[in-house]
Amino acid sequence: PLDARARIVAQAREAFAPFLRDADFAALRWPGVEAAIDFWLGFETRRRAEIADIHVEISGRLTLRLADGSDFTLTAQADRIDKLKSGDYAVLDYKTGAAPSKAVVRVGFAPQLTLEAAMIERGAFPAIPEGARVAQAVYVKLMGAGGGDEIDLTWKDASFADVSAEHFARLGTYLSWFRDEANG
């Protein structure tokens, strides 16, 4: 809505009221809060025209059969999953601290969004049909320089879907390896 900034700033002022009485917080930290609000509103404004539906704080679970026949249940609490007007989906995660770099995600050291995407595609989130295609993944960093940052997980050498599939396959391999008592 047109008054979104005023409404969010009012809510933030109420939530931060005890801290705003501290002159240091009010002078040094509050401008960063307002910058994060402005960043987020700009981010939302750019995205909204492409979004058909938004799922926030949605839980999912997916059971994987391991090599030894045992089951492992992968769970997730996705910050946000958007259904795009194209019919595809986007998975988003909000960070107030450091977000993993695209390179760290690519090699598999931060597989949160790639595994959430694999779960989405396999029907792990009840509100989303099995077979849904995840076309986009984004870390949304709030706070910091400029109020925030948007880290779109795209690479020159691989599609997000390929990286997600690779990470999901590796998860099954790793879990099966760790279930084998012969391995340390």
Side-chain angles (χ1 to χ4, degrees):
L2 296 176
D3 66 343
R5 187 182 194 285
R7 290 168 57 186
I8 293 172
V9 168
Q11 290 173 353
R13 283 191 179 283
E14 183 178 325
F16 285 102
F19 301 104
L20 285 166
R21 289 191 283 274
D22 176 0
D24 288 337
F25 180 88
L28 301 174
R29 303 289 264 180
W30 180 252
V33 172
E34 285 200 41
I37 290 168
D38 291 337
F39 169 81
W40 184 77
L41 287 170
F43 173 79
E44 284 299 312
T45 300
R46 288 189 309 275
R47 289 187 63 81
R48 286 292 167 118
E50 302 300 319
I51 297 173
D53 197 12
I54 297 173
H55 303 277
V56 179
E57 292 294 326
I58 183 172
S59 296
R61 56 189 304 113
L62 181 66
T63 301
L64 292 86
R65 178 65 41 105
L66 303 182
D68 68 355
S70 65
D71 289 336
F72 177 87
T73 302
L74 179 63
T75 62
Q77 180 79 18
D79 283 356
R80 177 171 160 180
I81 300 171
D82 292 346
K83 180 177 184 182
L84 306 175
K85 288 182 179 175
S86 67
D88 292 335
Y89 286 81
V91 60
L92 294 82
D93 189 66
Y94 293 98
K95 299 290 185 197
T96 54
S101 71
K102 289 169 46 166
V104 166
V105 173
R106 174 68 179 91
V107 297
F109 291 132
Q112 176 185 352
L113 292 184
T114 55
L115 291 179
E116 284 181 9
M119 291 174 70
I120 291 166
E121 293 171 349
R122 288 161 178 79
F125 293 90
I128 301 168
E130 185 171 351
R133 180 177 158 332
V134 178
Q136 184 184 41
V138 180
Y139 280 109
V140 182
K141 183 187 179 330
L142 300 173
M143 302 300 285
D149 194 15
E150 176 182 347
I151 302 161
D152 190 350
L153 296 180
T154 56
W155 298 276
K156 292 179 182 175
D157 66 333
S159 71
F160 177 77
D162 289 343
V163 173
S164 176
E166 176 186 328
H167 288 183
F168 186 72
R170 276 198 225 158
L171 176 66
T173 300
Y174 292 152
L175 291 171
S176 291
W177 188 86
F178 282 116
R179 287 283 300 167
D180 184 345
E181 293 180 11
N183 297 319

